[in-house]
Amino acid sequence: DAKHLVPNKMRDFFCTINLDQEEVFRTQVVEKSLSPYFGEEFYFEIPRTFQWLSFYIYDKSVLQKDLRIGKVSIKKEDLCKFTGKENWFMLQPVDSNSEVQGKVHLELKLNELITDNGSVCQQLVVHIKECHGLPLINGQNCDPYATVSLVGPSRNDQKKTKVKKKTSNPQFNETFYFEVTRSSSYTKKSQFQVEEEDIEKLEVRVDIWNNGNLVQDIFLGEIKVPVKVLRNDSFQAWYLLQPRENGNKSSKSDDLGSLRLNICYTEDYVLPSEYYASLRNLLLKSSDVQPISASAAYILSEVCREKYDAVLPLVRLLLHHHKLVPFVAAVAELDLKDTQEANTVFRGNSLATRCVDEMMKIVGKHYLKVTLKPVIDEICESPKPCEIDPIKLREGDNVEINMENLRYYVDKVFCEIVQSSISCPTLMCDVFYSLRHLAAKRFPNDPHVQYSAVSSFVFLRFFAVAVVSPHTFHLRPHHPDAQTSRTLTLISKAIQTLGSWGSLTKSKLSSFKETFMCEFFKTFQEEKFTQSVKKFLDDVSSTESKEPSGLSEPVHLKEGEMYKRAQGRTRIGKKNFKKRWFCLTSRELTYHKQQDKEPIFTIPIKNILAVEKLDESSFNKKNMFQVLHGEKPLYIQANNCVEASEWIEALCRVTRCNPKRLSFYHPSAFLNGSWLCCKATVENTVGCARCTADTQIEIDGDRETERIYSLFSINISKLQKLEEACGSIAVYQGPRKEPDDYSNFTIEDSVATFHTLKQITDTVQKLNELHERYQKKRSSSAKYGSE
């Protein structure tokens, strides 16, 4: 959210997230506010290098261009300082001189020249090689050129490169020569000429500009290098472009308001696969360790301050290697040992419940979309009033009609859920089967516990949560408005109650916190709902495979506006780019002139042969990818790098099992009679590069292992204390006297736990050494002229 925004007038605000100056996400517009609450969450992989993560607040305008009120920019190196906690940031003013990104490659050299009369003078050679990552101007590549100046107290010699058209990565390769000291035979031509200044005061300045043609040129950044650093040496480096030093004097930075952000940023250097073998094996054999509390995976969850940090990579790794079900069964059994009452089964935030939650999010994405997306869309797009709390009713609302509306939605959502068991992923069914039987074994005298063990996950922690926050589960692109949000909350409460095994009995109606909910539930026929829930829970917790080979209805996976290169030709013979609405389902990829219109082009999923990035050089456009499908390739430009990456991933995932997938492709386009990449002149010739999607998998096991190594490495002191605790328990069997850092840890078997801890610390130590070696090599090979 934001507060005290200026100008002090109620406005319609929205916020964007940018990598450098490339917008990757924007929030919904919050109307008529000075302190807008956005409440939106964006999770994304960063598919390229960047310098700044920025957030811009805009004032939405209907007739004119949206006005940028201010920004918060955080340097990549500083992101770790703010990660994992909420911070208020003061908004800074936005001006073109501070909007800088990209880098420039320079080679500088001082030469000594001997003139014809034998005297010595010095000459500076500036070779400007190239720039990389310049910003897009109005969404398009810029037309950059550079000015190179030698600046001192009494001189400013300036030279200029040629303009490079339509590129953010211009190759200049131009060399400029400057006289630094004049020869000793030089004499002043007039008394007004100043003596040549000391070399100590001279500096090379390179300014990068976008050629404006008929309008003013736009400043893109500058760098300054003192000549004295060169001595008589050749110096070559990449320099990050900097904003102008004069900064922005037009506006104070303390009166624009502030923005509250919660940023979670992780960055891992993933080493080659073989380096992780010992840690990976240690984690994968966790489910076989007796007791489970002595396993590496369990210890990981114990030493991490936030259990969630450990659970996410752990679940992904175990899923990837088909080891999740036995591990969940083992930690669930440990969880049940501490559960005293059958009606509190799996209600806490233990390792077992967290693992199942995370598994359902990863494995059940598709299942949620099939089951809930159509009904959630209906609720959000044509909402009916559903408020049944007398205190919150608006003037003119009829509580009876509202109750009918709510009942209609609840029935619809409930029916979708209880009829969805055929779509429930097999892995979820296997986990539910384990939990059901473990609960029945722990509480043999309670006939309901086998059902409540499953319903506490599938109803309470999966469907009910997805209903109340559909944007988090990618069922909707944005956080719903306040009224719809309230409707979804009421539906979610009802679904939790209906799914809670046996909660509709008359004796339990009185236990509702709110009287209005109690009144609402009196209209439900208990028997009918309980039977439906029982049958559904039986179905999703049996071990028979549920997923059908082909669903009757195609599942909607992704949609959005992008540009595609025209398949036909225009009158002047050039192929142009047109904005289209793209839609991907489990059956086909289509594009439409506008959203909700009939498709004008369709590619069946089974016909897609490859999906790959397209070199920027093909059309001088960023964020392009190609869909190869038998005919000519379909070339598509996404709006930003994150969107391009997500579309490629979604298309690769849905076409992964296509039998005719290509192994080779052309990374560039076929233009003017030849392929730009390999210069081959036959259009249907075999590609010159190996397809990357062949090896693409949804979970990268090495990356998850690297994340787990990082967590162990950060918590190495806790591991050592745990080792000491195991040692002291083994020697001294009595009770521990004083509370300490490890008094909350579960140590069932001190010898087995100590043995695992020793293996973990040895493995982490080895990986530490490999990382240090890699960092040294990286810092020596990547030479930067500036931070």
Side-chain angles (χ1 to χ4, degrees), residues 14 148 201-202 215 266 330 373 428 464 469 647 658:
F14 66 91
V148 181
K201 296 172 186 169
L202 291 175
V215 294
T266 56
K373 186 164 174 44
M428 279 173 72
S469 55
W647 271 99
N658 284 2

Side-chain angles (χ1 to χ4, degrees), residues 188-195:
K188 277 199 275 184
K189 291 196 174 75
S190 81
Q191 65 197 56
F192 297 109
Q193 277 194 300
V194 183
E195 276 294 337

